[in-house]
Amino acid sequence: MSQNIPPPSPLRFSDLPHPIVAGLISVIVNYGGTFILVFQAAKIAGLSPELTASWVWSVSIGVGVTGLLLSWYFREPIITAWSTPAAAFLVTALATTPYAEAVGAYIISALAFVLLGLSGTFEKVIRLIPASIASGLLAGILLQFGIGAFGGATVDPLLVGGLIVAYVLLKRFTARYAVVGILVLGIGFLLVQGRVDFSNLSLTLAAPVFTMPVFSLNALLSVALPLFLITLTGQYMPGMLVLRNDGFKTSANPIVTVTGLGSLIMAPFGSHAFNIAAITAAIATGREAHEDPRKRWIAGIAAGCFYVLVGVFGVTLAAVFMAFPATFITTLAGLALLGTIGGSLAGALADPKTREAALITFLASAANINLLGIGGAFWGLVIGLVAYILLNGQLPKRDREALVAAKEGVK
């Protein structure tokens, strides 16, 4: 359930470890879980190693800097990330679109996000979504990650079982260090088993490569427009609801504008699109990052620094994170998100009047419907809102007041 968060209080050294580790885990999960799509898209496009490294550099530096700046300025854990559904889309789109035209499409899409942020329209839409529906949506999106924490036991029972037992024991005796503990124990276990090897790691600086963009109607319709819609519905919408669900109130307008500008600047170097994160953001916005929500912004700073570090060394560090076994990544992510999933479910089902609509939202989101090239988060939200309106007849008072405030320009 969302809450009003008081102003930040002075930091102590003891406040740092948990949000820093939360930021690190969100980065590991992002690179280890989805970054392979970028390499697949680069291979499909026939990009040289230099252009591929430039893509890694541009998207990592862009994500890191925008997330760091937003988290620092607003003192909230605003985690940014590349658009995962957009990267999946590019795996097929780059097969038929020349790379220079794709870069032009990236620029057009980024400009559209800048204009959207400056217009203030997106924030008005976010304000209309009832809290129970937002909680149901978030719980549905994260459900597969919670299931993934246990699903890997079939293929890797020793690793997964050990992490689960360690998590439960740490929760019992020292809850604050549960997520930190399983990260350290898991990496230690993998090193002992020889399943990850850092001995041959060579840190090589990445060099950005500028590509002159080419603008075409074909790329506008086949790349820029889908890229904009997929990123908006699959990343920005759930990402903002993650922040709202944990009580953070920063307007969507500056977030969309800043990430849009970042994408615009980095597009000629290969970055396809970056935005506010959703799933990996939930690792940093919940109680696991810090019991005091006023201290969780440190996770945003930490994640930004880790992203910049990876970007500086290009493909090298990204490959390290991708070398972790898939079962380790999914179990780590699922366990780190358990608290957020539980809190979201509690918020979704707390009010009997909205419980059924929230449950429908949860199930529809978890089903991950994919229609017209648009992913499950959008359709889960649409189905939930329709159910809410049909069951309740109107927006609740809280949301009608928010609508009035939005129309008056109150942020």
Side-chain angles (χ1 to χ4, degrees), residues 292-365:
D292 185 350
R294 297 172 297 177
K295 307 294 177 62
R296 295 174 196 165
W297 64 276
I298 302 166
I301 300 294
C305 292
F306 288 126
Y307 277 125
V308 170
L309 182 63
V310 174
V312 168
F313 294 104
V315 177
T316 308
L317 287 182
V320 169
F321 290 138
M322 292 175 62
F324 286 122
T327 49
F328 174 65
I329 298 295
T330 55
T331 304
L332 180 66
L335 293 176
L337 288 167
L338 282 184
T340 300
I341 296 171
S344 298
L345 281 173
L349 305 178
D351 186 354
K353 294 180 180 179
T354 62
R355 184 173 297 161
E356 193 159 4
L359 181 60
I360 290 171
T361 307
F362 165 69
L363 294 173
S365 303

Side-chain angles (χ1 to χ4, degrees), residues 147-311:
I147 293 173
F150 304 90
T154 303
V155 295
D156 203 341
L158 197 58
L159 173 62
V160 175
L163 288 174
I164 293 171
V165 170
Y167 177 82
V168 174
L169 289 175
L170 287 168
K171 272 289 187 179
R172 169 66 177 83
F173 295 106
T174 174
R176 287 193 65 192
Y177 296 93
V179 175
V180 176
I182 60 172
L183 173 63
V184 174
L185 291 172
I187 293 177
F189 180 81
L190 293 173
L191 289 172
V192 169
Q193 282 199 323
R195 296 172 64 178
V196 289
D197 184 10
F198 300 136
S199 61
N200 296 322
L201 178 64
S202 177
L203 297 179
T204 305
L205 295 176
V209 178
F210 181 86
T211 298
M212 181 61 68
V214 174
F215 300 96
S216 70
L217 180 61
N218 174 64
L220 170 65
L221 298 177
S222 62
V223 178
L225 182 59
L227 188 66
F228 175 80
L229 293 176
I230 290 169
T231 303
L232 179 65
T233 59
Q235 293 280 173
Y236 277 109
M237 182 69 75
M240 286 307 305
L241 294 180
V242 166
L243 279 181
R244 294 290 191 268
N245 194 66
D246 282 310
F248 299 102
K249 303 300 183 184
T250 297
S251 168
N253 300 337
I255 295 175
V256 175
T257 303
V258 169
T259 51
L261 281 171
S263 297
L264 180 64
I265 293 170
M266 289 300 188
F269 303 101
S271 174
H272 60 290
F274 46 87
N275 39 255
I276 187 169
I279 294 162
T280 52
I283 297 172
T285 59
R287 289 178 60 87
E288 299 294 352
H290 202 290
E291 292 184 359
D292 185 350
R294 297 172 297 177
K295 307 294 177 62
R296 295 174 196 165
W297 64 276
I298 302 166
I301 300 294
C305 292
F306 288 126
Y307 277 125
V308 170
L309 182 63
V310 174

